[in-house]
Amino acid sequence: DTVKSSGGLRLFWKVGPALGGIDTQYKRGAFYPGVFQFGAELSSFGLPPNQEPLPMGVLTARARELKLFLALKPTTKLVQEYQAAAEKLFERFGVG
């Protein structure tokens, strides 16, 4: 359900509640290995060979009030990583 590690960051050092998860295996903000390849594969599941894949729908829990600052744009690293993974499989791929 997530593509990026929380790094196990907690409020008040190690005693407070976790902010977004408890995974300490990867550095905070690191993308999980294979997650973009997985998304690219899902976008073409069940389609006939050589048919253009469906656009990737990226869902986020980002607050609407912060949309101006946190919106996913073509230059966002998350979008660029999905684009790069898809380009390895397809000629055209969109993130919607």
Side-chain angles (χ1 to χ4, degrees):
D1 72 34
T2 188
V3 298
K4 197 185 286 189
S5 173
S6 70
L9 184 66
R10 293 180 174 274
L11 286 177
F12 311 114
W13 301 274
K14 296 187 178 193
V15 296
L19 294 176
I22 60 170
D23 184 6
T24 58
Q25 183 177 1
Y26 297 97
K27 184 178 175 183
R28 180 172 176 77
F31 292 116
Y32 288 113
V35 72
F36 300 109
Q37 176 71 29
F38 180 67
E41 297 284 345
L42 282 177
S43 72
S44 65
F45 180 76
L47 297 177
N50 302 319
Q51 182 172 336
E52 185 175 310
L54 301 171
M56 175 62 66
V58 178
L59 303 178
T60 180
R62 296 171 182 211
R64 280 188 184 167
E65 297 79 13
L66 300 175
K67 185 177 180 180
L68 176 65
F69 305 103
L70 301 176
L72 297 174
K73 301 173 183 87
T75 57
T76 305
K77 187 160 176 67
L78 175 78
V79 174
Q80 291 176 340
E81 293 290 337
Y82 271 120
Q83 185 75 35
E87 286 173 355
K88 290 179 183 177
L89 298 174
F90 314 107
E91 289 181 25
R92 277 185 59 190
F93 182 81
V95 177

Coordinates of all heavy atoms in Angstrom, one line a residue:
D1 N 0.8 -1.2 0.0 CA 0.0 0.0 0.0 C 0.9 1.3 0.0 O 0.3 2.4 0.0 CB -1.0 0.0 1.2 CG -0.3 0.2 2.5 OD1 0.7 0.9 2.6 OD2 -0.8 -0.4 3.5
T2 N 2.1 1.1 0.0 CA 3.0 2.3 0.0 C 4.2 2.0 -0.9 O 4.6 0.9 -1.1 CB 3.5 2.6 1.5 OG1 4.1 3.9 1.4 CG2 4.4 1.6 2.0
V3 N 4.8 3.1 -1.4 CA 6.0 2.9 -2.3 C 7.2 3.4 -1.6 O 8.3 3.2 -2.2 CB 5.7 3.7 -3.6 CG1 4.5 3.1 -4.4 CG2 5.6 5.1 -3.4
K4 N 7.1 4.1 -0.5 CA 8.2 4.8 0.1 C 8.4 4.4 1.6 O 7.4 4.3 2.3 CB 8.0 6.3 0.0 CG 9.2 7.1 0.2 CD 8.9 8.6 0.2 CE 8.6 9.1 -1.2 NZ 8.5 10.6 -1.2
S5 N 9.6 4.2 2.0 CA 9.8 3.8 3.4 C 9.7 5.0 4.4 O 10.1 6.1 4.0 CB 11.2 3.2 3.6 OG 11.5 3.0 4.9
S6 N 9.1 4.7 5.5 CA 9.0 5.7 6.5 C 10.3 5.9 7.3 O 10.5 6.9 8.0 CB 7.8 5.4 7.5 OG 8.3 4.3 8.3
G7 N 11.1 4.9 7.2 CA 12.4 4.9 8.0 C 12.2 4.7 9.5 O 13.1 4.8 10.2
G8 N 10.9 4.4 9.9 CA 10.7 4.2 11.3 C 10.7 5.4 12.2 O 10.9 5.4 13.4
L9 N 10.6 6.6 11.5 CA 10.7 7.9 12.3 C 9.6 7.9 13.3 O 8.4 7.6 13.1 CB 10.5 9.0 11.3 CG 10.7 10.4 11.9 CD1 12.1 10.6 12.4 CD2 10.3 11.5 10.9
R10 N 9.9 8.3 14.5 CA 9.0 8.5 15.6 C 9.0 9.8 16.2 O 10.1 10.5 16.2 CB 9.3 7.4 16.7 CG 9.1 6.0 16.3 CD 9.4 5.0 17.4 NE 9.1 3.7 17.1 CZ 7.8 3.2 17.3 NH1 6.9 3.9 17.8 NH2 7.6 1.9 16.9
L11 N 7.9 10.3 16.8 CA 7.9 11.5 17.6 C 8.6 11.2 18.9 O 8.6 10.1 19.4 CB 6.5 11.9 17.9 CG 5.7 12.5 16.7 CD1 4.2 12.8 17.2 CD2 6.3 13.8 16.2
F12 N 9.3 12.2 19.4 CA 10.0 12.1 20.7 C 11.0 10.9 20.6 O 11.0 10.1 21.5 CB 9.0 11.9 21.8 CG 7.9 12.9 21.8 CD1 6.6 12.5 21.6 CD2 8.2 14.3 22.0 CE1 5.6 13.5 21.6 CE2 7.2 15.2 21.9 CZ 5.9 14.8 21.7
W13 N 11.8 10.9 19.6 CA 12.9 9.9 19.4 C 12.3 8.5 19.3 O 11.4 8.2 18.5 CB 13.9 10.0 20.4 CG 14.6 11.4 20.4 CD1 15.6 11.8 19.6 CD2 14.1 12.5 21.1 NE1 15.8 13.1 19.8 CE2 15.0 13.6 20.7 CE3 13.2 12.8 22.0 CZ2 14.8 14.9 21.2 CZ3 13.0 14.1 22.5 CH2 13.9 15.1 22.1
K14 N 12.7 7.6 20.2 CA 12.2 6.2 20.0 C 11.0 5.8 20.9 O 10.6 4.7 20.9 CB 13.4 5.2 20.4 CG 14.5 5.4 19.4 CD 15.6 4.3 19.7 CE 16.7 4.5 18.6 NZ 17.6 3.4 18.6
V15 N 10.5 6.8 21.6 CA 9.4 6.4 22.5 C 8.0 6.9 22.0 O 7.0 6.4 22.5 CB 9.6 7.0 24.0 CG1 10.9 6.4 24.6 CG2 9.8 8.6 23.9
G16 N 8.0 7.8 21.1 CA 6.7 8.3 20.6 C 6.1 7.5 19.5 O 6.7 6.5 19.1
P17 N 4.9 7.9 19.1 CA 4.2 7.1 18.0 C 5.0 7.3 16.7 O 5.7 8.3 16.4 CB 2.9 7.8 17.9 CG 3.1 9.2 18.5 CD 4.1 9.0 19.5
A18 N 4.9 6.2 15.8 CA 5.6 6.2 14.5 C 4.8 7.2 13.6 O 3.6 7.3 13.6 CB 5.5 4.8 14.0
L19 N 5.6 7.9 12.8 CA 5.1 8.8 11.8 C 5.0 8.1 10.4 O 6.0 8.1 9.7 CB 5.9 10.1 11.7 CG 5.9 11.0 12.9 CD1 6.9 12.1 12.7 CD2 4.5 11.5 13.2
G20 N 3.9 7.5 10.1 CA 3.7 6.9 8.8 C 4.2 5.5 8.7 O 4.2 4.9 7.6
G21 N 4.7 4.8 9.7 CA 5.1 3.4 9.6 C 6.3 3.1 10.5 O 6.9 4.0 11.1
I22 N 6.6 1.8 10.6 CA 7.7 1.4 11.5 C 8.8 0.8 10.8 O 9.8 0.2 11.4 CB 7.1 0.5 12.6 CG1 6.5 -0.8 11.9 CG2 6.1 1.2 13.5 CD1 6.2 -1.9 12.9
D23 N 8.8 0.8 9.5 CA 9.9 0.1 8.7 C 11.2 0.8 8.8 O 11.4 2.0 8.4 CB 9.5 0.0 7.2 CG 10.5 -0.7 6.4 OD1 11.4 -1.3 6.9 OD2 10.3 -0.8 5.1
T24 N 12.2 0.2 9.4 CA 13.5 0.7 9.5 C 14.5 0.0 8.6 O 15.7 0.3 8.6 CB 14.0 0.6 11.0 OG1 14.0 -0.8 11.4 CG2 13.2 1.4 11.9
Q25 N 14.1 -0.9 7.8 CA 14.9 -1.6 6.9 C 15.5 -0.7 5.8 O 16.7 -0.9 5.4 CB 14.2 -2.8 6.2 CG 15.0 -3.6 5.3 CD 14.2 -4.8 4.7 OE1 13.1 -5.0 4.9 NE2 14.9 -5.6 3.9
Y26 N 14.8 0.3 5.4 CA 15.3 1.2 4.4 C 15.2 2.6 5.0 O 14.5 3.0 5.9 CB 14.3 1.2 3.2 CG 14.4 -0.1 2.5 CD1 13.4 -1.1 2.7 CD2 15.4 -0.5 1.6 CE1 13.4 -2.3 2.1 CE2 15.4 -1.7 1.0 CZ 14.4 -2.6 1.2 OH 14.4 -3.8 0.6
K27 N 16.1 3.5 4.5 CA 16.2 4.9 4.9 C 14.9 5.6 4.6 O 14.2 5.3 3.7 CB 17.3 5.6 4.1 CG 17.6 7.0 4.5 CD 18.8 7.5 3.7 CE 19.0 9.0 4.0 NZ 20.1 9.5 3.2
R28 N 14.5 6.6 5.5 CA 13.3 7.3 5.3 C 13.3 8.0 3.9 O 14.2 8.6 3.5 CB 13.2 8.4 6.4 CG 11.9 9.2 6.3 CD 11.7 10.2 7.5 NE 10.6 11.0 7.3 CZ 9.3 10.7 7.5 NH1 9.0 9.4 7.8 NH2 8.3 11.5 7.4
G29 N 12.2 7.8 3.2 CA 12.0 8.4 1.9 C 12.5 7.5 0.7 O 12.3 7.8 -0.4
A30 N 13.2 6.4 1.1 CA 13.7 5.5 0.0 C 12.5 4.7 -0.6 O 11.6 4.3 0.1 CB 14.7 4.5 0.6
F31 N 12.5 4.6 -1.9 CA 11.5 3.9 -2.6 C 11.8 2.4 -2.5 O 12.9 2.0 -2.5 CB 11.4 4.2 -4.1 CG 10.9 5.6 -4.3 CD1 11.8 6.6 -4.9 CD2 9.6 6.0 -4.0 CE1 11.3 7.9 -5.2 CE2 9.2 7.3 -4.2 CZ 10.0 8.2 -4.8
Y32 N 10.7 1.6 -2.3 CA 10.9 0.2 -2.1 C 11.4 -0.5 -3.4 O 10.8 -0.1 -4.5 CB 9.7 -0.5 -1.6 CG 9.4 -0.2 -0.2 CD1 8.3 0.5 0.2 CD2 10.2 -0.7 0.8 CE1 8.0 0.8 1.5 CE2 9.9 -0.5 2.2 CZ 8.8 0.3 2.5 OH 8.6 0.6 3.8
P33 N 12.3 -1.4 -3.4 CA 12.8 -2.1 -4.6 C 11.6 -2.8 -5.4 O 10.8 -3.4 -4.7 CB 13.8 -3.1 -4.1 CG 14.1 -2.7 -2.8 CD 13.0 -1.9 -2.2
G34 N 11.5 -2.6 -6.6 CA 10.5 -3.3 -7.5 C 9.2 -2.7 -7.5 O 8.3 -3.1 -8.3
V35 N 8.9 -1.6 -6.7 CA 7.5 -1.1 -6.6 C 7.1 -0.4 -7.9 O 6.0 -0.6 -8.4 CB 7.4 -0.1 -5.4 CG1 8.1 1.2 -5.7 CG2 5.9 0.1 -5.1
F36 N 8.0 0.2 -8.7 CA 7.7 0.8 -9.9 C 7.5 -0.2 -11.0 O 6.6 0.0 -11.9 CB 8.7 1.9 -10.3 CG 8.8 3.0 -9.2 CD1 9.9 3.1 -8.4 CD2 7.7 3.8 -9.0 CE1 9.9 4.0 -7.4 CE2 7.8 4.8 -8.0 CZ 8.9 4.9 -7.2
Q37 N 8.3 -1.2 -11.0 CA 8.2 -2.3 -12.0 C 6.8 -3.0 -11.8 O 6.1 -3.3 -12.8 CB 9.3 -3.3 -11.8 CG 9.2 -4.5 -12.7 CD 9.4 -4.2 -14.2 OE1 10.2 -3.3 -14.5 NE2 8.8 -5.0 -15.1
F38 N 6.5 -3.2 -10.5 CA 5.2 -3.8 -10.2 C 4.0 -3.0 -10.8 O 3.1 -3.5 -11.4 CB 5.1 -4.0 -8.7 CG 3.8 -4.6 -8.2 CD1 3.5 -5.9 -8.5 CD2 2.9 -3.9 -7.5 CE1 2.3 -6.5 -8.1 CE2 1.7 -4.4 -7.0 CZ 1.4 -5.8 -7.3
G39 N 4.1 -1.6 -10.6 CA 3.0 -0.8 -11.1 C 2.9 -0.8 -12.6 O 1.9 -0.8 -13.2
A40 N 4.1 -0.8 -13.2 CA 4.1 -0.9 -14.7 C 3.5 -2.2 -15.2 O 2.7 -2.2 -16.2 CB 5.5 -0.7 -15.2
E41 N 3.8 -3.3 -14.5 CA 3.2 -4.6 -14.9 C 1.7 -4.6 -14.7 O 0.9 -5.1 -15.5 CB 3.9 -5.7 -14.1 CG 5.3 -5.9 -14.4 CD 5.6 -6.6 -15.7 OE1 4.7 -7.1 -16.3 OE2 6.8 -6.5 -16.1
L42 N 1.2 -4.0 -13.6 CA -0.2 -3.9 -13.3 C -0.9 -3.1 -14.4 O -2.1 -3.5 -14.7 CB -0.5 -3.3 -11.9 CG -0.3 -4.2 -10.7 CD1 -0.5 -3.4 -9.5 CD2 -1.1 -5.4 -10.7
S43 N -0.3 -2.1 -14.9 CA -1.0 -1.2 -15.9 C -1.3 -2.0 -17.2 O -2.1 -1.5 -18.0 CB -0.2 0.0 -16.1 OG 1.0 -0.3 -16.9
S44 N -0.6 -3.1 -17.4 CA -0.8 -3.8 -18.7 C -1.4 -5.2 -18.4 O -1.7 -5.9 -19.4 CB 0.5 -4.0 -19.4 OG 1.4 -4.8 -18.7
F45 N -1.8 -5.5 -17.2 CA -2.3 -6.8 -16.9 C -3.6 -7.0 -17.7 O -4.5 -6.2 -17.7 CB -2.6 -7.0 -15.4 CG -3.2 -8.3 -15.1 CD1 -2.3 -9.4 -15.1 CD2 -4.5 -8.5 -14.9 CE1 -2.9 -10.7 -14.8 CE2 -5.0 -9.7 -14.6 CZ -4.2 -10.9 -14.5
G46 N -3.7 -8.2 -18.4 CA -4.9 -8.6 -19.1 C -5.1 -7.9 -20.4 O -6.1 -8.2 -21.1
L47 N -4.2 -7.0 -20.8 CA -4.3 -6.4 -22.1 C -3.7 -7.3 -23.2 O -2.7 -8.0 -22.9 CB -3.6 -5.0 -22.1 CG -4.2 -4.0 -21.2 CD1 -3.4 -2.7 -21.2 CD2 -5.7 -3.7 -21.6
P48 N -4.2 -7.2 -24.4 CA -3.5 -8.0 -25.5 C -2.1 -7.4 -25.8 O -1.8 -6.3 -25.4 CB -4.4 -7.7 -26.7 CG -5.7 -7.0 -26.2 CD -5.4 -6.5 -24.9
P49 N -1.2 -8.3 -26.3 CA 0.1 -7.8 -26.6 C 0.1 -6.6 -27.5 O -0.8 -6.4 -28.3 CB 0.7 -9.0 -27.4 CG -0.1 -10.2 -27.0 CD -1.5 -9.7 -26.7
N50 N 1.1 -5.7 -27.3 CA 1.3 -4.5 -28.1 C 0.2 -3.5 -27.9 O 0.1 -2.5 -28.6 CB 1.4 -4.8 -29.6 CG 2.6 -5.7 -29.8 OD1 3.6 -5.6 -29.2 ND2 2.4 -6.7 -30.7
Q51 N -0.7 -3.7 -26.9 CA -1.7 -2.6 -26.7 C -1.2 -1.7 -25.6 O -0.6 -2.1 -24.7 CB -3.0 -3.2 -26.1 CG -4.1 -2.1 -25.9 CD -5.5 -2.7 -25.6 OE1 -5.8 -3.9 -25.9 NE2 -6.3 -2.0 -24.9
E52 N -1.4 -0.4 -25.8 CA -1.0 0.7 -24.9 C -1.5 0.4 -23.5 O -2.7 0.1 -23.3 CB -1.4 2.0 -25.4 CG -0.9 3.2 -24.6 CD -1.3 4.5 -25.2 OE1 -1.1 4.7 -26.5 OE2 -1.8 5.4 -24.5
P53 N -0.6 0.5 -22.5 CA -1.1 0.2 -21.1 C -2.0 1.3 -20.6 O -2.0 2.4 -21.2 CB 0.2 0.2 -20.3 CG 1.1 1.0 -21.1 CD 0.8 0.8 -22.6
L54 N -2.7 1.0 -19.5 CA -3.6 2.0 -18.9 C -2.7 3.0 -18.1 O -1.6 2.7 -17.7 CB -4.5 1.3 -17.9 CG -5.4 0.3 -18.6 CD1 -6.2 -0.5 -17.5 CD2 -6.4 0.9 -19.6
P55 N -3.2 4.3 -17.9 CA -2.5 5.2 -17.1 C -2.4 4.7 -15.7 O -3.3 4.1 -15.2 CB -3.3 6.5 -17.2 CG -4.2 6.3 -18.4 CD -4.4 4.8 -18.5
M56 N -1.3 5.1 -15.0 CA -1.2 4.7 -13.6 C -1.9 5.8 -12.7 O -1.7 7.0 -12.9 CB 0.3 4.7 -13.2 CG 0.6 4.5 -11.8 SD 0.1 2.9 -11.2 CE 1.2 1.8 -12.1
G57 N -2.8 5.3 -11.9 CA -3.5 6.2 -10.9 C -2.7 6.2 -9.6 O -2.6 5.1 -9.0
V58 N -2.2 7.3 -9.2 CA -1.5 7.4 -8.0 C -2.4 8.0 -6.9 O -2.9 9.1 -7.1 CB -0.2 8.3 -8.2 CG1 0.5 8.4 -6.8 CG2 0.7 7.7 -9.2
L59 N -2.6 7.3 -5.9 CA -3.5 7.7 -4.8 C -2.5 8.2 -3.7 O -1.5 7.7 -3.4 CB -4.4 6.6 -4.3 CG -5.3 6.0 -5.3 CD1 -6.1 4.9 -4.7 CD2 -6.2 7.0 -5.9
T60 N -3.0 9.2 -3.0 CA -2.2 9.8 -1.9 C -3.0 10.2 -0.7 O -4.2 10.6 -0.9 CB -1.3 11.0 -2.4 OG1 -0.5 11.5 -1.3 CG2 -2.1 12.1 -3.0
A61 N -2.5 10.2 0.5 CA -3.2 10.6 1.7 C -2.8 12.1 2.0 O -3.0 12.5 3.1 CB -2.9 9.7 2.8
R62 N -2.2 12.7 1.1 CA -1.7 14.1 1.3 C -3.0 15.0 1.5 O -4.0 14.9 0.8 CB -0.9 14.6 0.1 CG 0.4 13.8 0.0 CD 1.0 14.2 -1.3 NE 2.2 13.4 -1.5 CZ 3.3 13.8 -2.1 NH1 3.4 15.0 -2.6 NH2 4.4 13.0 -2.2
A63 N -2.9 15.9 2.5 CA -4.0 16.8 2.8 C -4.3 17.7 1.7 O -3.5 18.3 1.0 CB -3.7 17.6 4.1
R64 N -5.6 17.9 1.4 CA -6.1 18.8 0.4 C -5.5 20.2 0.6 O -5.2 20.9 -0.4 CB -7.6 18.9 0.3 CG -8.2 17.8 -0.4 CD -9.7 18.0 -0.5 NE -10.3 16.9 -1.1 CZ -11.6 16.7 -1.2 NH1 -12.4 17.6 -0.6 NH2 -12.1 15.6 -1.7
E65 N -5.4 20.6 1.8 CA -5.0 22.0 2.2 C -3.5 22.2 1.7 O -3.1 23.4 1.5 CB -5.1 22.2 3.7 CG -6.5 22.2 4.2 CD -7.0 20.8 4.4 OE1 -6.3 19.8 4.4 OE2 -8.3 20.6 4.6
L66 N -2.8 21.1 1.6 CA -1.4 21.3 1.2 C -1.2 20.9 -0.3 O 0.0 20.8 -0.7 CB -0.5 20.4 2.1 CG -0.6 20.7 3.6 CD1 0.2 19.7 4.4 CD2 -0.1 22.1 3.8
K67 N -2.3 20.7 -1.1 CA -2.1 20.3 -2.4 C -1.2 21.2 -3.3 O -0.4 20.7 -4.1 CB -3.5 20.3 -3.1 CG -3.5 19.7 -4.5 CD -4.9 19.6 -5.1 CE -4.8 19.1 -6.5 NZ -6.2 18.9 -7.1
L68 N -1.3 22.5 -3.0 CA -0.4 23.4 -3.8 C 1.1 23.1 -3.6 O 1.8 23.2 -4.5 CB -0.7 24.9 -3.3 CG 0.2 26.0 -3.9 CD1 -0.1 26.1 -5.4 CD2 0.0 27.3 -3.2
F69 N 1.4 22.6 -2.4 CA 2.8 22.3 -2.1 C 3.2 20.9 -2.4 O 4.4 20.6 -2.6 CB 3.2 22.7 -0.7 CG 2.8 24.1 -0.3 CD1 1.7 24.4 0.4 CD2 3.6 25.1 -0.8 CE1 1.4 25.7 0.7 CE2 3.3 26.5 -0.5 CZ 2.2 26.7 0.2
L70 N 2.3 20.0 -2.3 CA 2.6 18.5 -2.3 C 2.0 17.8 -3.5 O 2.1 16.6 -3.6 CB 2.0 17.8 -1.0 CG 2.6 18.3 0.3 CD1 1.9 17.6 1.4 CD2 4.1 18.1 0.3
A71 N 1.4 18.5 -4.5 CA 0.8 17.9 -5.7 C 1.9 17.1 -6.4 O 3.0 17.5 -6.5 CB 0.2 19.0 -6.5
L72 N 1.4 16.0 -7.0 CA 2.3 15.2 -7.9 C 2.3 15.8 -9.2 O 1.3 15.9 -9.9 CB 1.8 13.7 -7.9 CG 1.8 13.0 -6.6 CD1 1.1 11.6 -6.7 CD2 3.2 12.9 -6.0
K73 N 3.5 16.2 -9.6 CA 3.7 16.9 -10.9 C 4.6 16.0 -11.8 O 5.3 15.1 -11.3 CB 4.4 18.3 -10.7 CG 3.6 19.2 -9.9 CD 4.4 20.5 -9.6 CE 3.6 21.4 -8.6 NZ 3.8 21.1 -7.2
P74 N 4.7 16.2 -13.1 CA 5.6 15.4 -13.9 C 7.1 15.4 -13.5 O 7.8 14.5 -13.7 CB 5.5 16.1 -15.3 CG 4.1 16.7 -15.3 CD 3.9 17.2 -13.9
T75 N 7.5 16.5 -12.7 CA 8.8 16.6 -12.3 C 9.0 15.9 -10.9 O 10.2 15.8 -10.4 CB 9.3 18.0 -12.2 OG1 8.4 18.7 -11.3 CG2 9.3 18.7 -13.5
T76 N 7.9 15.4 -10.3 CA 8.0 14.8 -9.0 C 8.8 13.4 -9.1 O 8.5 12.7 -10.1 CB 6.6 14.5 -8.4 OG1 5.9 15.8 -8.3 CG2 6.7 13.9 -7.0
K77 N 9.7 13.1 -8.2 CA 10.5 11.9 -8.3 C 9.6 10.7 -8.4 O 9.9 9.8 -9.2 CB 11.5 11.8 -7.1 CG 12.4 10.7 -7.3 CD 13.6 10.8 -6.4 CE 14.6 9.7 -6.5 NZ 15.2 9.4 -7.7
L78 N 8.5 10.6 -7.6 CA 7.6 9.5 -7.7 C 7.1 9.3 -9.1 O 7.1 8.1 -9.6 CB 6.5 9.7 -6.7 CG 5.4 8.6 -6.7 CD1 5.8 7.4 -6.0 CD2 4.1 9.2 -6.2
V79 N 6.6 10.3 -9.7 CA 6.1 10.2 -11.1 C 7.2 9.8 -12.1 O 7.0 9.0 -13.0 CB 5.4 11.6 -11.5 CG1 5.0 11.5 -13.0 CG2 4.3 11.9 -10.6
Q80 N 8.4 10.4 -11.9 CA 9.5 10.1 -12.8 C 9.9 8.6 -12.7 O 10.3 8.0 -13.7 CB 10.7 11.0 -12.5 CG 10.4 12.4 -12.9 CD 11.6 13.4 -12.5 OE1 12.4 13.1 -11.7 NE2 11.6 14.5 -13.2
E81 N 9.9 8.1 -11.5 CA 10.3 6.7 -11.3 C 9.2 5.7 -12.0 O 9.6 4.7 -12.6 CB 10.4 6.4 -9.8 CG 11.6 7.1 -9.2 CD 13.0 6.5 -9.6 OE1 13.0 5.4 -10.1 OE2 13.9 7.3 -9.5
Y82 N 7.9 6.1 -11.8 CA 6.9 5.2 -12.5 C 7.1 5.3 -14.0 O 7.0 4.4 -14.7 CB 5.5 5.7 -12.1 CG 5.0 5.0 -10.9 CD1 4.6 5.7 -9.8 CD2 4.8 3.6 -10.9 CE1 4.1 5.1 -8.7 CE2 4.3 3.0 -9.8 CZ 3.9 3.7 -8.7 OH 3.4 3.1 -7.6
Q83 N 7.4 6.5 -14.5 CA 7.6 6.8 -15.9 C 8.8 5.9 -16.4 O 8.7 5.3 -17.4 CB 7.8 8.2 -16.2 CG 7.9 8.6 -17.7 CD 6.6 8.6 -18.4 OE1 5.6 8.9 -17.8 NE2 6.6 8.2 -19.6
A84 N 9.9 6.0 -15.7 CA 11.1 5.3 -16.1 C 10.8 3.7 -16.2 O 11.3 3.1 -17.1 CB 12.2 5.6 -15.2
A85 N 10.2 3.2 -15.2 CA 9.9 1.8 -15.1 C 9.0 1.4 -16.3 O 9.2 0.3 -16.9 CB 9.2 1.4 -13.8
A86 N 8.0 2.2 -16.6 CA 7.1 1.9 -17.6 C 7.8 1.9 -19.0 O 7.5 1.1 -19.9 CB 5.9 2.8 -17.6
E87 N 8.6 2.9 -19.2 CA 9.3 3.1 -20.4 C 10.2 1.9 -20.8 O 10.5 1.6 -21.9 CB 10.1 4.4 -20.5 CG 9.2 5.6 -20.6 CD 10.0 6.9 -20.4 OE1 11.2 6.9 -20.1 OE2 9.3 7.9 -20.6
K88 N 10.6 1.1 -19.7 CA 11.4 -0.1 -20.0 C 10.5 -1.2 -20.6 O 11.0 -2.0 -21.3 CB 11.9 -0.6 -18.7 CG 13.0 0.2 -18.1 CD 13.6 -0.4 -16.8 CE 14.6 0.5 -16.2 NZ 15.1 0.0 -14.9
L89 N 9.2 -1.1 -20.4 CA 8.2 -2.1 -20.9 C 7.5 -1.6 -22.1 O 7.1 -2.4 -23.0 CB 7.2 -2.5 -19.9 CG 7.8 -3.1 -18.6 CD1 6.6 -3.3 -17.6 CD2 8.4 -4.5 -18.9
F90 N 7.2 -0.3 -22.2 CA 6.3 0.2 -23.2 C 6.8 1.5 -23.9 O 7.6 2.2 -23.3 CB 4.9 0.6 -22.6 CG 4.4 -0.5 -21.7 CD1 4.4 -0.3 -20.3 CD2 3.9 -1.6 -22.2 CE1 3.9 -1.3 -19.5 CE2 3.4 -2.6 -21.4 CZ 3.4 -2.4 -20.0
E91 N 6.3 1.8 -25.0 CA 6.7 3.0 -25.7 C 6.1 4.3 -25.1 O 6.7 5.3 -25.0 CB 6.4 3.0 -27.2 CG 7.3 2.0 -27.9 CD 7.0 2.0 -29.4 OE1 6.5 3.0 -29.9 OE2 7.3 1.0 -30.0
R92 N 4.8 4.1 -24.7 CA 4.0 5.3 -24.2 C 3.4 4.8 -22.9 O 2.9 3.7 -22.8 CB 2.9 5.7 -25.1 CG 3.4 6.7 -26.1 CD 2.2 7.2 -26.9 NE 1.3 7.9 -26.1 CZ 0.1 8.3 -26.5 NH1 -0.3 8.1 -27.7 NH2 -0.7 8.9 -25.7
F93 N 3.4 5.7 -21.9 CA 2.9 5.3 -20.6 C 2.5 6.6 -19.9 O 3.2 7.6 -20.0 CB 3.9 4.6 -19.7 CG 3.4 4.2 -18.4 CD1 2.7 3.0 -18.2 CD2 3.7 4.9 -17.2 CE1 2.2 2.6 -17.0 CE2 3.3 4.5 -16.0 CZ 2.5 3.4 -15.9
G94 N 1.3 6.7 -19.3 CA 0.9 7.9 -18.6 C 0.6 7.7 -17.1 O 0.3 6.6 -16.7
V95 N 0.8 8.7 -16.4 CA 0.5 8.7 -15.0 C -0.7 9.7 -14.8 O -0.6 10.8 -15.2 CB 1.7 9.2 -14.1 CG1 1.2 9.3 -12.6 CG2 2.8 8.3 -14.3
G96 N -1.8 9.2 -14.3 CA -3.1 10.0 -14.2 C -3.6 10.1 -12.8 O -3.2 9.5 -11.9

